[in-house]
Amino acid sequence: MLEEIFDIVLDALLDSARVFPFLFLMYVLIEFLEHGTNITKNKNILRGNLAPLLGAATGIIPQCGFSVMAAKLYDRKLIRTGTLLAVFLATSDEALIILLSYGTKAFAVMPIIAIKFVVAVGVGYLFNGILRGEKLAELAEGESVYGAPCGHDHEEDSKLRRYLVHPLLHSLEIFAYILVVNLAFGFAMHYAESAITAFLEQGLWFQPLIAGLVGLIPNCASSVLITMSYMRGALSFGGAIAGLCANAGLGFVILFKNVKSWKRNLALLGVLYVLSIAVGYATLGIMQLFGI
């Protein structure tokens, strides 16, 4: 008994440890990209006719700051509803980083990006068209709309903290989440493999509903759980798509801070969930149709 537990824990630890160096390198690269581009510092970048397209493009980048920035801008009526939904639908939090770090499921990165990007752009333009009368506030002269990544201001940090300490801490945080998920799956598959297999076979069409709810949780742990579940074969690709489309990072945390707009925020949450599970079911249906 103890030997079995030790083996499960050791396997989970080794499996999680193997991905840590890749996580760290990814986050270092993201810091360089983030501070080497001015795309989010242009105050008109998410206000023009290309706003949904650019919003989706920035949301695809695996960094939680863009959904936070979009939520702040939307709450101040500086961007349109469709643009906000485009950013939220495109956001995947830690999913792409984990897939690329593990390598075994890296082939899924491009389909995920393609589906989320196309859906985000389409929904963005659709809602901006439907709500074309939506009034926007004006920025003060010289005012910046740039939002600090993940709610933390790194602008004044030294290069050591920016390119070493912050990526290291973020990598350790995600490593901890991955380890917990690996442990949970290790014990589950060891003691209840047949029950899990039966549930997956019978509950395929319930997965988008459940994964979508998990994706709404405003924490990177939800994207880690969805991604690891897919990689371990416990979640279908359609279920993973539903969960990752619903995952808007910390965006809703920012929106719900404005308690006066709780009806608006709940409506946005509901719309995002319905859209996400619809995309999940569409993906499942297409895959079943073509026998993928």
Side-chain angles (χ1 to χ4, degrees), residues 96 99 103-115 230-231 237 241 244:
L96 302 184
L99 287 169
T104 55
K105 289 284 188 177
F107 67 87
V109 169
M110 291 310 298
I112 289 174
I113 289 176
I115 292 171
Y230 166 65
M231 292 177 62
F237 185 72
I241 287 293
L244 295 179

Side-chain angles (χ1 to χ4, degrees), residues 65 73 272:
L73 295 179
L272 187 69

Side-chain angles (χ1 to χ4, degrees), residues 152-210:
H152 302 293
D153 189 358
H154 296 179
E155 292 299 311
E156 302 301 323
D157 286 342
S158 66
K159 289 185 178 180
L160 178 65
R161 288 183 60 82
R162 180 182 297 170
Y163 299 119
L164 179 61
V165 176
H166 289 305
L168 181 61
L169 292 176
H170 206 159
S171 300
L172 287 171
E173 180 184 11
I174 302 306
F175 166 79
Y177 287 135
I178 291 175
L179 178 59
V180 170
V181 173
N182 277 334
L183 284 170
F185 274 109
F187 282 106
M189 292 306 294
H190 184 78
Y191 293 106
E193 182 175 1
S194 58
I196 293 172
T197 302
F199 171 77
L200 291 175
E201 291 175 349
Q202 298 175 10
L204 179 67
W205 294 98
F206 291 101
Q207 289 185 6
L209 294 171
I210 299 170

